Amino acid sequence: MKARTIKTLLVAAITMAAMSVSTTANAQLGGLVNKAKKKAEQVVEKKKEDVKKDAKKAKEEAKMSALETQRPPLPWVMDPNGTYNGVGMEEFVDRMVEMDITEDGLKELRSQLDARFKHNHALDKINSGPDYDVKLWESIQKENERYWQFYDKISSWTLVLINSTKVTEDANGAVSVSTKGSLMTANKYRAKGSAQGITLVSRNGKYVFATLGGQGSFLNAADLEGAKKCAKQMHLFQIFTKDTPQLWDELGEKYSNTQKYMYYNQNVYANAADQAIANNTPENIDYKPMPKAGSMHAKFKAEALAIAKADDPNVLDVIITSNDWDVVMKGIVPERRNIYGYIVTKDELGKKCSERVWTQKYQGNNNYGKLKAGGVGVSSDFYVK
C-alpha cells in the first residue's frame, strides 16, 4: 500500500476517534446539565412551598393574635377562681332563687357564656399543630371545663326537680312530656314533715299536683310555697338552657341525652308547675281505700300506736300491713327486723296515711330488743275514704 493511502487512513481513523470522544463527552455533559436543572427546579419548588407555609403560618398567627385580642369578656363562671359576690358556682346554682340577681343579670351572664365559649372554640381550632401555644391551650381548657361544670350542675339540679318519667318526640322532632315529673323530691323546698315527694300529672288537659304514686294531691301553704320556688328556679334555668343544644350542635360539641331532654323541655316543666300551682285545690285529691291490716297488726298495734303518739300526739291510729318480720342481715348475722305499716292523722281535708317502719334490734341468741320507731317509708302520704 502506498504511504499516502496509509496516511489518509490514519487521519480518518484519528478524526473518527476524536468525533466519538466529543459525542460521548457532550452526552455526559448534557446529562449533568439536566440533572442540575432538575435539582434547581426542586430547590425553587421547595422555596415556593416554604414561602407558602410561612405565609399561611403567619396568616394563622395573625388571625389567632387578632382573635386573642378580641376575646369577649371572661364570665365569672368560666374563671377558674371566679365567684359571684363571694359565692361559688354550686351555691350560686342552688341559691339562684334566693340570691339578689335579676333576670336581666342572668341573661347577660348567659350571653357572656355563649360568646366566650364560642370564641374559645374558634381559637382552639386555630391553635393546633406541633407549634401550638401551650399556655393558651391550657387557659381555654380550664375555662371550658368550668363552663361544662356549670351546665352539669344545672342539669343535675333539674333532674332533682323534674326527673321526667316519659318524654316523647313526634315525627317533626318536637319533644313533649306526656306523663309526670317529680317536683320537690327530697329537696330543701319541701316543708318539714310533708310528703316525701310531689309530682305533676296532666288531667283533662291541665297539670295538677299528685303523690309519687300518681294520686291527685293538694299542697298546704308551706308546701305550696316550696313548689312556687321550684317553679321559679325552673324559669330561671330556662335562661341558661333555651336553645343551648343548638349552639353545641353548631360547634360540634357532644352532650348527653339527659341534658338534651332537660334543656329542650325546661319550658314545659316550668309552665306545668305554674299550672299546677294555679290549679291547687282540694278537689284534686284522690282518696284511696284504707290499707288492709296484716297478720302482725293485732299483736303489735298497741305498741306501735304508743310509739307513734309519743312522736306525734295527733296520730289517730296505726295499721300494720306486714304478715311477717323482714329480717335485715349483716353478713350471716341478723342486725334487726322490721315491720311496716301506716300512721293515720287527720286534717281539714280528711284522714291521711303516712308510711312508717317499726324495728327491733338483734341482741344475740335469737333474741330481739324492744320495738322502736324505724323511720318513714318510701311512698308518699295519701288521703283515705
Side-chain angles (χ1 to χ4, degrees), residues 83-207:
T83 61
Y84 177 80
N85 292 338
V87 172
M89 181 197 300
E90 290 202 3
E91 189 175 353
F92 175 82
V93 174
D94 284 342
R95 292 176 51 199
M96 205 178 289
V97 169
E98 294 127 344
M99 296 191 70
D100 184 20
I101 181 169
T102 64
E103 287 194 21
D104 286 342
L106 292 178
K107 288 176 182 177
E108 175 60 25
L109 177 58
R110 164 68 194 273
S111 177
Q112 290 179 8
L113 287 168
D114 283 359
R116 186 80 174 193
F117 187 68
K118 192 171 183 179
H119 195 274
N120 278 357
H121 195 275
L123 198 56
D124 194 40
K125 197 172 183 180
I126 297 173
N127 185 37
S128 58
D131 299 326
Y132 75 100
D133 187 326
V134 178
K135 288 186 177 180
L136 176 62
W137 180 83
E138 289 177 345
S139 170
I140 291 172
Q141 296 308 307
K142 287 179 181 178
E143 289 182 17
N144 289 353
E145 184 179 353
R146 289 270 300 182
Y147 174 91
W148 286 114
Q149 286 175 354
F150 181 71
Y151 275 95
D152 283 345
K153 180 60 182 174
I154 287 179
S155 180
S156 63
W157 221 97
T158 307
L159 279 172
V160 172
L161 290 176
I162 302 160
N163 193 22
S164 175
T165 56
K166 187 176 181 182
V167 179
T168 58
E169 188 169 347
D170 65 22
N172 297 318
V175 183
S176 62
V177 180
S178 58
T179 55
K180 64 185 179 182
S182 62
L183 178 77
M184 300 166 56
T185 305
N187 70 68
K188 62 181 179 177
Y189 293 142
R190 183 169 59 84
K192 185 178 179 180
S194 67
Q196 282 86 344
I198 302 297
T199 66
L200 303 173
V201 295
S202 181
R203 292 188 173 177
N204 300 320
K206 67 178 183 179
Y207 279 95

